[in-house]
Every structure is written in structure tokens, then in C-alpha cells.
Amino acid sequence: MSEVNFDGIPGPTHNYAGLARGNLAAKKHARKVANPREAALQGLAKMRALAARGVPQAVLPPHERPHIAALRALGFEGNDAAIIARAAREAPQLLAACSSAAAMWAANAATVSPSADTADRRVHFTPANLIANFHRSLEADTTTRVLRSIFADQARYVVHSPLPAALQFGDEGAANHMQFSATSAGPGVEMFVYGRSALSAASAPQRHPARQTREASEAIVRRHGLDPAMVVLAQQSPAAIDAGVFHNDVIAVGSGNVLFCHEQAFVDQRSVLEKLDRMVAGFAPIVVTNAELSVDDAVATYLFNSQLVARTDGGFLLVAPAECNEHAGARALLDRLVSGNSPIAEVIAFDLRQSMHNGGGPACLRLRVELTDVERAAIRANVFLDEALANALDVWIRRHYRDRLAPDDLGDPALLDESRSALDELSTMLKLPNVYPFQR
């Protein structure tokens, strides 16, 4: 069993529209000029560096944007160019929402349970419905098609439909899910973190919305055929959500037998850690205190939105955003962890500023999928990153992506044609069937 990181490729319409309530970075950079080419190349650089270290890497393609079908459903008529022109003139915020490249954050694509954990011993995926934000709710259909195209062998994979698009079942994917296992064989412990329960009067954030519901997490446990005795349900701290922790992966990351989190990540955190200690062999929590790093600074640096990657020597590599090196408190904390008796043996930082300015760090960009060698061999799409694919993607990005995209540029109908041309070529490169509406 090995963990493969499926990274989302930022799309040609990557822009800063400040669409997500509770995402402080997106709000701060709203309406600034973006650089889609740089965004995609920064993500590719991270993938290449990890692949060079022997970390299995794969890619997920961008979505088609602008989402013309959504604009039609909202009353804009005519051909594609006319729809874009009218939306830009009359409802630029709707055009921005329908142009969002947020599917780049593959941690929100789905919740994944490895075959070792499921009753039928198949890998299960539930694509996220992402109903908390209109621009993200548009992703579910394409994400489902893409996952079913890549994980097509139904003897080994189950790609469910998204949960019902209702507030009671708000689901944000793997950004609120962690899987622990002290060994590479046998079932692990799956931890689901929710922000609210639709049927409970439990404490809720006051300033920002809690996106993930307990009911959604419980439904995924059932449909994935997980053993309830190997599942932990924990509530995200409402105060943390109000501080800008809109997903659990902004304040906690777990892998193997290690949980790296802030002391204010969960409600009744002591009980949560005690339960994990009973369930995960050799459980090794790394809990950062508020004195070491405040929640506000954790949100500003995205320290916990790092990737925690197991090394062959038993230690862990922490893949962090460059902002952690530039913050004295975060840098000092990481230095202490690496030099001390911590499971984190090494830290590498990447410049992902184009993504970070919209609120997405290293962990946001990847979907963790644990696969056996046989399961991996069953994937026929050309999505696993090697030198040839990395070089082809580099050329493709530089040929198709703009290096400047301002808010007003979303009204340019040529951007849709450029995006479709790029995605059509990428589909061939990745050996994917026609997953986009324009290809049908």
C-alpha cells in the first residue's frame, strides 16, 4: 500500500474574486491581478520535487470555465460569447463565480477510503457536493466524471455520486478527513471532522459558516462500508472557524501514526486525542500550543496546511508553504520539531503564492489516495507524473496559459476558447475520455 498524491492543476481562469466567505486570504486578495501560468507552474514544481524524492505523484485536470451551463441556468441567453459579455456587464460577480478555478484544490474533490478500510475491499470515493459556496458547487459533476474516468475498474474502485445537495449534507471532501495507520497492512482509523450538525443545537461559529456537517460524514462512513469501531467523528472548534479555519486541513494534518495540529483544533480536544491514542498503534500527536503559534498566525502561514509524507526511514517529511519560512514563530517551531525528538524529520517549503493568495496551500492542492500495486496498475489513464509527463505539462502550460488575468478579463470570450483548446489537448495527453461538456 502506498500513498499517491493526486494534485489538481490550476486552470487557465485562475483569478482572485474573493468568493469564499470565511477564507481570509481570498478576501484579502480579492480583485487583484492573478497569474494563471505561474499558478500552474508553481504547482507543477511541487509535484516534480516530490516525485524526484520517490513520492508517488499524479494529476487531476482543471475544470472547464467559465461554466456556461450555469450562466444559462441563471437566465443569460445567446451563444457563448453573448452570454459571457452580458454576464460581465450585468452580473460580474456571477461571471467570476462561474469562472472560478477552485477545482485546483483537489483536497475538496472527494473523500477517499482505502480498500483496507472498506467492507468490500474496494477503494471508495465520494465526490464532495461543496454546497456551501455556489462557485464550488459547480464542480461536483465534472469531478465525478473525472474520477470515474481515472478509477474506472469497478472491480477495484467505487466512485459514488455526491451526497444530496442539501444543507443537511454539506460535504467538503478530504479537507475534513484524515486516515491513520501505523502499518502498511490492515485497516486504518478514519477521522471525520465536521463543523456543525444540522440536527443539533451544539455550539456553532458566529462569524463564518461551518461548511461540513456531521450528517455528511456519517453518510460517507455508511456508503464506504467502514467499521464504526475504526472511525472517529470530531467537531471542529467554532472559534477556529471564526478565525478563518474554514476546513480542518487549515489547522490539522494527519498521516500514518502522526497527528500535527493546533491545541484549539477540535471541540473537547483532550477526549479526541485520547480516543485516537486507544485506536492508533504508536499514536504520536504533535500539538502546537497557542503560546507557540496563535490560531491567527496558523491561518496566516498555513502551517497546518502542509503535507505530511512518510519517509522510508520511518520519519516524516513536512511539505510546507514558503510563508512558514518567512514567519519567525512558525520557522522557530519547525526548527525545534526537526532538531528535537519529533516524528517530523525534515521540512521543505514551496512557493505556492498564486494558490495561497486564494487560500490554498500544499495540502489543499492534493487528494491523498492509498493504493496497492495491483490497484495502481488498474489505472489506464496517463496521470502518474514521470519526467515525460512533467515536461509535457510544462510545455502545455506555457503554450496555453496567460501570465496575467485581472477581474475584467473574465469578460473576454476568447478566454473560454483558450481554455477549451487547452483542456482538449490535456485530455489527449492524460488519455482521458471526453469528460467536459464541450467535448460531447
Side-chain angles (χ1 to χ4, degrees):
M1 186 82 72
S2 61
E3 179 181 292
V4 181
N5 291 297
F6 281 77
D7 276 42
I9 302 173
T13 61
H14 163 69
N15 70 96
Y16 300 132
L19 298 169
R21 183 182 168 202
N23 182 332
L24 303 186
K27 181 179 179 180
K28 178 180 178 181
H29 295 96
R31 297 199 61 76
K32 292 190 176 180
V33 175
N35 186 331
R37 183 186 302 166
E38 187 175 55
L41 291 174
Q42 287 175 349
L44 179 60
K46 177 177 79 77
M47 287 189 270
R48 289 185 103 150
L50 293 179
R53 286 171 165 260
V55 179
Q57 280 289 156
V59 299
L60 293 175
H63 291 196
E64 178 189 350
R65 293 294 182 269
H67 197 299
I68 297 297
L71 290 170
R72 288 188 188 278
L74 294 171
F76 297 98
E77 299 177 345
N79 61 29
D80 293 347
I83 286 173
I84 291 170
R86 183 178 173 189
R89 184 172 63 253
E90 298 180 8
Q93 195 68 359
L94 284 180
L95 177 59
C98 291
S99 301
S100 170
M104 63 196 279
W105 297 311
N108 300 121
T111 302
V112 187
S113 294
S115 56
D117 294 358
T118 65
D120 63 6
R121 294 299 179 258
R122 292 186 290 174
V123 184
H124 282 247
F125 298 77
T126 291
N129 59 30
L130 297 171
I131 62 167
N133 289 286
F134 167 63
H135 69 288
R136 302 226 60 184
S137 71
L138 301 176
E139 297 171 21
D141 288 347
T142 298
T143 295
T144 303
R145 288 195 299 272
V146 168
L147 292 177
R148 286 177 176 167
S149 297
I150 295 172
F151 303 99
D153 186 344
Q154 295 183 27
R156 306 195 182 280
Y157 301 108
V158 183
V159 179
H160 299 272
S161 296
L163 293 174
L167 290 176
Q168 183 173 340
F169 299 107
D171 176 27
E172 299 280 313
N176 295 306
H177 173 261
M178 294 177 282
Q179 201 264 0
F180 299 94
S181 180
T183 64
S184 59
V189 173
E190 299 201 23
M191 181 171 174
F192 294 80
V193 182
Y194 63 92
R196 62 184 173 89
S197 171
L199 302 179
S200 170
S203 58
Q206 302 300 304
R207 194 182 339 170
H208 300 311
R211 302 186 188 181
Q212 183 81 24
T213 68
R214 182 184 178 102
E215 290 78 10
S217 298
E218 291 172 336
I220 293 170
V221 171
R222 289 190 295 269
R223 57 163 51 180
H224 287 197
L226 304 181
D227 180 353
M230 302 298 287
V231 170
V232 174
L233 284 165
Q235 184 180 359
Q236 194 175 2
S237 163
I241 294 174
D242 277 339
V245 183
F246 53 95
H247 290 139
N248 173 68
D249 67 3
V250 179
I251 204 161
V253 58
S255 182
N257 65 335
V258 175
L259 172 65
F260 181 43
C261 70
H262 195 275
E263 66 174 348
Q264 297 179 14
F266 312 113
V267 171
D268 195 9
Q269 184 150 318
R270 180 176 177 179
S271 295
V272 172
L273 296 180
E274 289 175 350
K275 188 171 186 179
L276 286 169
D277 187 55
R278 293 192 300 268
M279 297 171 69
V280 180
F283 182 56
I286 304 171
V287 181
V288 176
T289 68
N290 205 55
E292 292 174 297
L293 193 75
S294 69
V295 174
D296 288 342
D297 285 341
V299 172
T301 61
Y302 263 44
L303 169 65
F304 298 101
N305 197 254
S306 299
Q307 294 175 239
L308 197 58
V309 179
R311 304 197 321 177
T312 55
D313 62 2
F316 281 83
L317 165 68
L318 194 74
V319 181
E323 283 77 359
C324 290
N325 278 339
E326 298 161 5
H327 184 279
R331 182 67 263 170
L333 171 62
L334 291 174
D335 287 343
R336 288 198 303 274
L337 290 175
V338 171
S339 62
N341 190 28
S342 159
I344 297 176
E346 181 185 6
V347 177
I348 54 174
F350 288 95
D351 178 0
L352 299 167
R353 295 183 199 279
Q354 285 293 320
S355 177
M356 285 284 288
H357 287 172
N358 249 340
C364 286
L365 285 164
R366 64 92 174 94
L367 180 68
R368 292 171 50 191
V369 183
E370 290 195 30
L371 300 173
T372 65
D373 290 344
V374 173
E375 289 163 351
R376 176 169 173 167
I379 295 174
R380 302 305 181 194
N382 182 38
V383 293
F384 293 102
L385 195 78
D386 55 18
E387 191 64 22
L389 180 57
N391 288 339
L393 288 171
D394 186 281
V395 172
W396 172 79
I397 291 164
R398 295 179 189 277
R399 180 166 60 246
H400 290 288
Y401 279 55
R402 298 185 183 189
D403 62 4
R404 184 185 190 280
L405 198 65
D408 290 345
D409 294 331
L410 298 177
D412 180 4
L415 184 61
L416 175 62
D417 296 332
E418 293 168 16
S419 298
R420 286 176 172 173
S421 176
L423 296 179
D424 208 29
E425 183 178 325
L426 182 65
S427 297
T428 300
M429 187 190 308
L430 301 182
K431 297 182 180 178
L432 293 175
N434 294 339
V435 296
Y436 301 109
F438 76 89
Q439 295 175 319
R440 297 175 181 179

